[in-house]
Amino acid sequence: VEIDYGIVPNTEIHFIFTVATFLPEGRQNTTGIGDIEAGIKTVILTETERRPKIALAPALEIPAGNYRRNLGNGRLWSKWPIWFEKNFGPWNTSIGGGYAFNSAPNMKTFLFGGWTVQRTINDKLMLGAEIFSEGSYTTIHTYPFQDTGASTILNLGLSNNFTKQASFIFSGGHTLVGVKEWVAYGGFYVSFNL
């Protein structure tokens, strides 16, 4: 569950509550509450005809998941990105990245970044593509927590607006660099004014 709330113009806070699942080969699966993300995004320069919008979006990862059951990180850690966004008619692109500071046992501090391109087809449908990279994030070299090294993933996605307040969002892709894996995200998005 993700909650976003605009506290003042050009600034919003967000909270992401997760359910985590650990599926080790040959061992018992576990599922439960995962870590919680709390962040703030603030626009430091608004978009003009020539300049992109520039925003800072730091976030804290709060250790709510059970570390012993492999459902969480075990310690508070943070991400510190900067993002640039520009619109060109029905096209939107954003690029950015930052640094993640993680001092949990067997974890590393790492760089991350990404670039998205989205195309609004009509008032109901938007299509997009994203390439995202992150550095190696763990020091463990044994299965199932083996350090996969740096990775780069290409995702394709869509957003289908049922109404002005309700949308379905889907994204899926595969690694281009690093351990070969498929990733997917699906969600139902509802917005309302308080």
Side-chain angles (χ1 to χ4, degrees), residues 2-185:
E2 180 173 347
I3 299 170
D4 299 298
Y5 181 70
I7 54 176
V8 294
N10 292 319
T11 302
E12 72 177 26
I13 56 174
H14 76 265
F15 299 92
I16 301 174
F17 302 91
T18 62
V19 173
T21 300
F22 178 62
L23 306 168
E25 191 174 310
R27 293 182 24 206
Q28 184 177 355
N29 299 343
T30 58
T31 298
I33 295 171
D35 290 346
I36 298 169
E37 180 175 292
I40 185 167
K41 179 180 177 184
T42 186
V43 175
I44 56 174
L45 286 174
T46 57
E47 181 178 356
T48 67
E49 188 175 318
R50 294 188 178 166
R51 179 185 67 216
K53 175 169 54 175
I54 302 173
L56 299 175
L60 292 175
E61 303 295 328
I62 301 164
N66 187 322
Y67 173 74
R68 288 177 195 81
R69 294 179 58 213
N70 302 303
L71 300 177
N73 187 64
R75 278 200 190 146
L76 183 72
W77 61 290
S78 62
K79 296 185 282 190
W80 297 87
I82 184 169
W83 295 104
F84 303 84
E85 181 181 346
K86 189 78 175 102
N87 291 286
F88 304 94
W91 292 92
N92 171 281
T93 186
S94 62
I95 190 167
Y99 214 63
F101 295 92
N102 191 342
S103 65
N106 302 312
M107 301 306 282
K108 293 183 187 176
T109 295
F110 60 92
L111 291 169
F112 63 92
W115 176 40
T116 65
V117 176
Q118 298 174 327
R119 171 72 159 84
T120 300
I121 305 302
N122 55 43
D123 62 347
K124 301 268 186 210
L125 182 65
M126 181 173 55
L127 303 176
E130 170 191 45
I131 190 163
F132 182 81
S133 292
E134 66 181 7
S136 173
Y137 55 85
T138 183
T139 61
I140 299 174
H141 299 288
T142 57
Y143 181 84
F145 303 103
Q146 189 169 340
D147 181 9
T148 58
S151 65
T152 300
I153 297 175
L154 174 65
N155 290 317
L156 300 176
L158 63 86
S159 173
N160 184 9
N161 301 321
F162 302 114
T163 67
K164 289 183 180 182
Q165 288 80 31
S167 304
F168 172 74
I169 301 167
F170 176 79
S171 175
H174 193 270
T175 48
L176 300 174
V177 175
V179 171
K180 301 300 180 204
E181 63 182 352
W182 290 96
V183 296
Y185 169 85

